[in-house]
């Protein structure tokens, strides 16, 4: 399966198992979603469980919270993560705090799906990576898969979770694992082990990172598209790096990170999002606090620049093989 | 060049900034407020098309006339017992507000908000809804809890953030939550409850339930985007929901003109969305009751949502942190042409021979005593400022269903910090 099919399968599995799971969002119903992630679901489960919504992110999020308060398990879609901001108040002030402020009387068991990230010539409003805004919000979980297998297992776990989960889907790798070389032919998931996806029910637990590639020379912390870009770079450079795919940003799998950095003594953090106050800053602080006496070089952050996401200058902006390679040389220079 | 400009002979544009009629010190004269006579508004069938509500959105549904008689097609013809219960609940709400306002002034809690003058809006609505209909209130519908029999002690415990507080001291006073009483958790963020109420109603409809949702906001917060989103969703899916806009003329210091009232009514907002809109005398308990009953029947029969504007007046300050003499004339509350909701229902009960001044005075004394006794009980659980009333580590409960490692670490840090501080509550 590709990642779209895996997500579709996760929704299908959850809707089949639990009559309270509802799918809603702009164009998700009859049409099946602008990325086809909800294709066929309305025909199978009916219009009262899979429905198109008016174009209002406030409304989508507020209505999902109300449905959750009733006892349903809504899975609202925000068409692009760049368009989640109108719903910010409902997410931050309501969904994330409802359990706390009502001392558990009301909860928000909702999963917000949203395609995010660049590398597709999406320009300023179809490329953003806003995860750092949400990892800063107490009471919310943030999940980002990097393979079809993880996407399905994590999405099922997110839908079954009783807390609000933001599920960001790296749209650059919907169809294949992008290695950062935009000028080479695109790959597809059929040749990647992460593309092998069981058709039935399984979970990938939230809060658990995955060591994608064990190594000794340094630890690379990445998620989403950047996992694949990093894997290509270290293969090209011939460096024995340990790549950790975080998969869940909050709650973070700190044990896996800590064990790895204490072993390798070096840490590089890679994300597409802008640098300042991005999630990389939190990762860097945690590694510094917990692994300080094991570090043999300063922690490196490889990120998008602190600018809006540009259109024609996309490959100058995107943290690709050259930027990652240079950071690698810097962090490894005394090794 | 300016002389050749084709618009050179026009006056410059002017920006209109609304201004209320009366400021501090001004004499008040409300003759400009258009109050249609009681009994004049028609009562449509609850299945009537939303297209046909224009007249009702610009007039006012009123039942009680100047002499306290119930007149016209909206007279809900409720029993004297029900009328007396309504009167009692409104008086209880007022007594409760008085007591808690004073408790804040005495330093027993940090904050309070009264609903004085708006008692009919919540009490009469609650008595028209079924007990299991879900209410999504703003912060000035404590009357819903009182009408539904929620224990005053529980409300006070929350206001005091004491050991009995079901919300564990996590919420600002008056931000109640009472799921078993169909009262949704109050948020400080205005009008967020509007689309949530629609979602709850849509869920009820999608599951083939028979329960409906009702929600409240003030006229000021109809300006929020959530209001627009909620109306759109409710109309699109014909959600079984009642939107209540409590137009009490004031949003803190801003008069209703800053929410658009100079140009239209709030009930008229419904028309553009394809929602039935009613404008109701919010100080007339029978009109509020009748309109709510009507809207509930409309919702329950799948005929769609209703927006009710309750035309009323915020008789006191916005909150204990507010001083209305700084921005409006002190003469306004007494000059308000729709009077006082309690006085009007009392007059009606007397007119129909079901009440008298002596019983009313006795009831007021009894309610004051009752509230005082409840307050005494609540204060046994502590008041704000007398140390912490919740176990320290409960600060981290309920952020998530299960506490993740980073919160466990911070919890341990906090407990160590308290032990080091020597503060008296450092025992937990």
């Amino acid at each position: 399966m590709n990642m779209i099919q895996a997500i579709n399968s996760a929704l299908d599995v959850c809707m089949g198992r639990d009559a309270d799971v509802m799918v809603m969002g702009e164009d998700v119903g009859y049409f099946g979603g602008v990325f086809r992630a909800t294709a066929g679901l309305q025909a199978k489960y009916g219009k009262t469980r899979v429905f198109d919504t008016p174009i209002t992110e406030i409304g989508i999020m507020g209505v999902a919270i109300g449905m959750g308060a009733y006892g349903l398990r809504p899975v609202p879609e925000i068409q692009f993560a760049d368009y989640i901001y109108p719903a910010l108040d409902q997410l931050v002030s309501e969904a994330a705090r409802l359990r706390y402020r009502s001392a558990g009387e009301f909860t928000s068991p909702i999963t917000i799906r949203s395609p995010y990230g660049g590398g597709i010539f999406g320009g300023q409003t179809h490329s953003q990576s806003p995860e750092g805004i949400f990892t800063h919000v107490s009471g919310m979980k943030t999940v980002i898969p990097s393979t079809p297998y993880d996407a399905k297992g994590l999405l099922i776990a997110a839908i079954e979770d009783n807390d609000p989960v933001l599920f960001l889907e790296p749209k650059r790798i919907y169809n294949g694992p992008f290695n950062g070389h935009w000028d080479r032919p695109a790959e597809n998931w059929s040749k990647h082990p992460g593309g092998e996806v069981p058709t039935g029910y399984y979970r990938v637990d939230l809060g658990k990172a995955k060591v994608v590639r064990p190594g000794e020379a340094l630890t690379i912390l990445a998620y989403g598209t950047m996992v694949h870009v990093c894997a290509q770079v270290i293969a090209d450079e011939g460096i024995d790096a340990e790549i950790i795919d975080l998969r869940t940003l909050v709650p973070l799998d700190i044990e896996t990170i800590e064990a790895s950095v204490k072993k390798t003594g070096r840490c590089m953090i890679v994300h597409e999002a802008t640098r300042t106050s991005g999630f990389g800053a939190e990762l860097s602080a945690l590694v510094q606090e917990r692994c300080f006496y094991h570090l043999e070089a300063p922690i490196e952050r490889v990120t998008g620049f602190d600018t809006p996401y540009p259109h024609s200058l996309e490959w100058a902006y995107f943290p690709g093989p050259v930027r990652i390679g240079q950071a690698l040389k810097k962090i490894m220079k005394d090794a | 060049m300016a002389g050749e400009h084709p618009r050179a002979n026009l006056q410059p544009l002017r920006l209109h900034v609304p201004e209320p009629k009366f400021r501090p010190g001004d004499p008040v004269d409300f003759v400009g407020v258009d109050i249609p006579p009681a009994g004049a508004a028609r009562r449509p069938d609850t299945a009537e098309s939303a297209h046909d509500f224009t007249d009702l959105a610009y007039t006012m549904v009123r039942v009680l006339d100047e002499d306290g008689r119930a007149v016209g097609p909206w007279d809900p013809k409720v029993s004297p017992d029900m009328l007396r219960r309504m009167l009692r609940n409104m008086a209880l709400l007022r007594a409760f507000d008085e007591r808690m306002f004073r408790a804040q002034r005495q330093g027993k809690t940090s904050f309070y908000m009264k609903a004085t003058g708006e008692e009919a809006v919540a009490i009469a609505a609650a008595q028209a809804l079924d007990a299991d209909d879900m209410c999504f209130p703003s912060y000035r519908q404590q009357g819903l809890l009182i009408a539904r029999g929620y224990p005053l002690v529980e409300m006070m415990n929350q206001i005091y953030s004491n050991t009995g507080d079901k919300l564990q001291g996590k919420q600002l006073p008056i931000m109640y939550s009472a799921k078993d009483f169909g009262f949704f958790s109050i948020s400080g963020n205005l009008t967020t409850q509007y689309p949530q109420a629609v979602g709850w109603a849509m869920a009820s409809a999608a599951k083939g339930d028979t329960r409906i949702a009702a929600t409240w906001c003030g006229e000021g917060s109809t300006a929020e985007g959530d209001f627009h989103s909620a109306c759109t969703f409710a109309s699109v899916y014909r959600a079984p929901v009642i939107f209540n806009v409590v137009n009490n003329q004031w949003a803190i210091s801003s008069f209703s003109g800053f929410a658009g009232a100079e140009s239209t009514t709030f009930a008229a907002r419904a028309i553009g969305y394809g929602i039935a809109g009613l404008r109701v005398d919010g100080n007339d308990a029978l009109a509020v009751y009748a309109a709510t009953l009507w809207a509930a029947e409309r919702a329950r029969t799948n005929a769609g949502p209703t927006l009710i504007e309750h035309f009323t007046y915020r008789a006191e300050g916005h909150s204990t942190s507010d001083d209305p003499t700084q921005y409006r004339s002190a003469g306004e509350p007494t000059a308000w042409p729709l009077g006082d909701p309690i006085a009007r229902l009392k007059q009606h009960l007397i007119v129909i021979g079901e009440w008298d001044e002596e019983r009313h005075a006795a009831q007021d004394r009894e309610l004051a005593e009752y509230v005082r006794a409840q307050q005494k009980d609540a204060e046994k659980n502590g008041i704000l400022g007398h140390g912490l009333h919740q176990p320290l580590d409960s600060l981290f409960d309920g952020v998530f269903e299960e506490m993740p490692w980073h919160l466990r670490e911070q919890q341990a840090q906090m407990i160590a910090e308290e032990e080091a501080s020597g503060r008296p509550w450092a025992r937990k």
Side-chain angles (χ1 to χ4, degrees):
Chain A
M1 288 186 199
N2 64 28
M3 195 180 282
I4 293 283
Q5 292 160 333
I7 287 162
N8 186 274
S9 175
L11 293 169
D12 189 10
V13 164
C14 288
M15 296 193 82
R17 288 166 62 95
D18 183 350
D20 289 338
V21 174
M22 317 283 266
V23 168
M24 55 189 286
E26 297 159 14
D27 305 297
V28 305
Y30 183 85
F31 179 56
V34 295
F35 290 105
R36 319 304 302 149
T38 55
L41 295 176
Q42 188 181 72
K44 187 166 178 182
Y45 296 104
K47 288 196 293 185
T48 58
R49 291 190 62 198
V50 183
F51 54 89
D52 293 312
T53 64
I55 304 172
T56 158
E57 288 76 16
I58 298 179
I60 293 168
M61 206 58 63
V63 161
I65 292 166
M67 289 182 149
Y70 179 91
L72 304 187
R73 211 167 266 284
V75 188
E77 176 184 301
I78 300 294
Q79 200 160 77
F80 287 84
D82 314 62
Y83 303 137
I84 204 165
Y85 308 119
L88 215 57
D89 188 35
Q90 286 286 349
L91 266 169
V92 174
S93 311
E94 303 294 319
R97 292 174 189 194
L98 189 53
R99 178 190 295 279
Y100 192 76
R101 79 170 193 234
S102 71
E105 273 199 338
F106 297 95
T107 59
S108 287
I110 66 177
T111 302
I112 306 101
R113 289 184 40 245
S114 192
Y116 93 106
I120 57 148
F121 277 105
Q124 297 193 20
T125 56
H126 299 78
S127 306
Q128 293 169 39
S129 299
E131 67 274 13
I133 292 171
F134 298 97
T135 56
H136 190 57
V137 176
S138 52
M140 269 189 69
K141 297 178 178 175
T142 302
V143 175
I144 301 179
S146 72
T147 65
Y149 179 89
D150 281 355
K152 178 172 174 180
L154 287 166
L155 183 54
I156 290 172
I159 292 169
E160 292 181 344
D161 197 279
N162 289 324
D163 289 310
V165 180
L166 178 64
F167 190 85
L168 292 173
E169 301 166 2
K171 57 186 169 303
R172 183 61 181 84
I173 56 173
Y174 267 159
N175 294 312
F178 177 59
N179 62 13
H181 292 280
W182 51 273
D183 45 355
R184 295 181 195 168
E187 297 169 59
N188 65 49
W189 283 111
S190 63
K191 296 184 196 103
H192 191 285
E196 284 170 31
V197 180
T199 53
Y201 174 89
Y202 67 94
R203 285 168 58 113
V204 173
D205 287 342
L206 306 188
K208 295 267 184 284
K210 183 183 178 189
V211 178
V212 174
R213 183 200 181 279
E216 302 293 330
L218 84 157
T219 299
I220 296 177
L221 304 180
Y223 47 89
T225 303
M226 300 319 295
V227 172
H228 303 284
V229 179
C230 291
Q232 184 67 49
V233 175
I234 64 155
D236 291 348
E237 305 272 339
I239 292 177
D240 184 25
E242 180 147 301
I243 301 178
I244 297 177
D245 176 2
L246 300 179
R247 301 199 290 196
T248 302
L249 275 51
V250 176
L252 187 66
D253 184 354
I254 194 69
E255 285 178 18
T256 299
I257 295 170
E258 204 174 322
S260 176
V261 177
K262 283 182 175 168
K263 178 180 75 175
T264 63
R266 287 178 166 81
C267 180
M268 184 166 84
I269 296 156
V270 188
H271 61 55
E272 290 179 61
T274 50
R275 186 178 187 85
T276 302
S277 302
F279 190 63
E282 181 64 30
L283 290 171
S284 175
L286 285 168
V287 169
Q288 189 272 141
E289 286 161 5
R290 287 162 188 269
C291 308
F292 183 79
Y293 296 107
H294 294 80
L295 287 175
E296 292 166 32
I299 300 161
E300 279 291 320
R301 277 187 292 159
V302 186
T303 69
F305 295 127
D306 283 338
T307 70
Y309 203 108
H311 184 242
S312 68
L313 299 173
E314 169 141 60
W315 300 117
Y317 173 92
F318 189 88
V322 176
R323 196 177 309 156
I324 296 170
Q326 287 178 345
L328 270 176
K329 287 192 180 72
K330 192 172 161 195
I331 198 170
M332 297 306 297
K333 77 171 169 358
D334 298 323
Chain B
M1 289 297 283
E4 294 164 22
H5 196 281
R7 293 191 295 269
N9 60 344
L10 292 181
Q11 290 291 315
L13 290 167
R14 286 186 306 273
L15 177 68
H16 172 69
V17 179
E19 182 63 26
K21 281 221 168 64
F22 318 110
R23 286 298 194 184
D26 291 343
V28 174
D29 176 4
F30 278 126
V31 287
V33 179
D34 183 25
I35 308 291
R42 69 186 177 96
R43 186 185 185 281
D45 190 272
T46 55
E48 189 165 307
S49 161
H51 288 117
D52 301 329
F53 282 81
T54 306
D55 59 327
L56 288 161
Y58 288 100
T59 183
M60 207 177 285
V61 172
R62 306 183 66 220
V63 174
L64 294 172
D65 69 10
E66 286 65 30
D67 302 319
R69 289 171 310 200
V71 296
W74 285 91
D75 176 6
K77 299 191 165 60
V78 295
S79 69
D81 279 347
M82 171 78 110
L83 290 172
R84 279 189 289 263
R85 192 153 71 245
M86 214 179 275
L87 182 69
R88 182 186 174 82
N89 282 335
M90 291 191 345
L92 178 56
L93 166 54
R94 186 165 295 182
F96 181 84
D97 276 355
E98 289 298 330
R99 199 83 208 167
M100 290 297 98
F101 186 90
R102 201 183 319 164
Q104 191 277 339
R105 287 296 187 252
Q106 291 168 337
K108 292 175 176 175
T109 188
S110 60
F111 184 74
Y112 193 70
M113 300 179 100
K114 295 167 108 174
T116 313
E118 302 173 36
E119 289 90 349
V121 172
I123 297 289
Q127 291 190 208
L129 294 169
D130 285 350
D132 58 355
D133 292 331
M134 182 59 86
C135 296
F136 289 76
S138 80
Y139 46 71
R140 225 183 288 280
Q141 279 79 50
Q142 57 267 49
L144 297 171
L145 285 174
I146 285 176
R148 284 182 165 182
Y150 190 67
L152 297 193
V153 168
E154 299 289 1
M155 296 173 78
M156 291 166 170
N157 286 339
Q158 198 279 329
I159 289 165
Y160 290 138
S161 277
N162 62 21
T163 51
D165 177 9
K166 291 214 157 93
L167 304 186
Q168 304 167 342
K170 291 184 160 87
Q171 265 284 37
L172 187 71
I174 65 98
M175 304 278 183
Y176 313 104
S177 178
K179 191 177 188 179
D180 293 344
F181 289 76
F183 190 94
F184 186 71
S185 158
I186 297 176
S187 169
N189 295 57
L190 296 178
T191 332
T192 49
Q193 72 276 13
Y194 251 59
Q196 293 164 5
V198 177
W200 196 97
M202 286 172 66
S204 182
K207 298 301 271 188
D209 200 342
T210 57
R211 293 176 292 165
I212 63 171
T215 186
W216 286 258
C217 75
E219 91 287 349
S221 48
T222 60
E224 295 280 9
D226 303 71
F227 180 83
H228 166 67
S229 292
C231 289
T232 303
F233 261 85
S235 172
V236 167
Y237 303 96
R238 292 184 201 163
V241 63
I242 304 172
F243 293 130
N244 294 281
V245 174
V246 184
N247 178 6
N248 66 13
Q249 316 300 323
W250 291 94
I252 308 186
S253 75
S254 301
F255 88 114
S256 58
F258 283 99
E262 283 186 336
S263 310
T264 185
T265 70
F266 294 97
R269 303 270 193 240
I271 306 303
Y273 291 105
I275 294 174
L278 300 174
R279 192 158 175 265
V280 171
D281 176 349
N283 289 12
D284 177 345
L286 293 185
V288 172
Y289 179 86
T292 307
L293 209 58
W294 183 96
E297 182 182 309
R298 183 173 174 86
R300 246 184 269 282
T301 52
N302 287 302
T306 302
L307 190 157
I308 306 173
E309 173 186 350
H310 302 269
F311 197 71
T312 181
Y313 186 83
R314 195 194 76 208
E316 301 219 15
H318 166 70
S319 71
T320 49
S321 306
D322 180 43
D323 174 10
T325 67
Q326 299 298 308
Y327 52 80
R328 71 183 189 189
S329 172
E332 283 198 20
T334 44
W336 184 245
L338 292 175
D340 176 85
I342 295 178
R344 287 176 63 193
L345 187 59
K346 171 188 156 195
Q347 180 197 21
H348 173 61
L349 267 160
I350 291 173
V351 162
I352 62 172
E354 295 287 347
W355 197 241
D356 56 53
E357 292 289 354
E358 291 72 34
R359 287 170 78 180
H360 194 80
Q363 177 170 279
D364 276 347
R365 283 194 300 275
E366 180 223 325
L367 291 176
E369 188 47 46
Y370 173 64
V371 173
R372 209 172 68 86
Q374 297 289 296
Q375 184 188 21
K376 269 187 141 174
D377 280 352
E379 289 180 7
K380 287 177 193 159
N381 299 324
I383 58 172
L384 193 72
H386 286 193
L388 286 186
H389 298 295
Q390 285 77 33
L392 265 185
D393 52 6
S394 71
L395 188 148
F396 293 87
D397 291 344
V399 179
F400 295 100
E401 184 175 41
E402 285 168 29
M403 199 183 298
W405 66 269
H406 63 288
L407 290 183
R408 280 199 308 274
E409 276 194 2
Q410 292 167 30
Q411 187 183 42
Q413 179 195 345
M414 180 202 63
I415 289 169
E417 190 179 303
E418 287 304 319
E419 278 166 4
S421 75
R423 285 190 282 250
W425 53 80
R427 63 198 178 276
K428 301 284 181 185

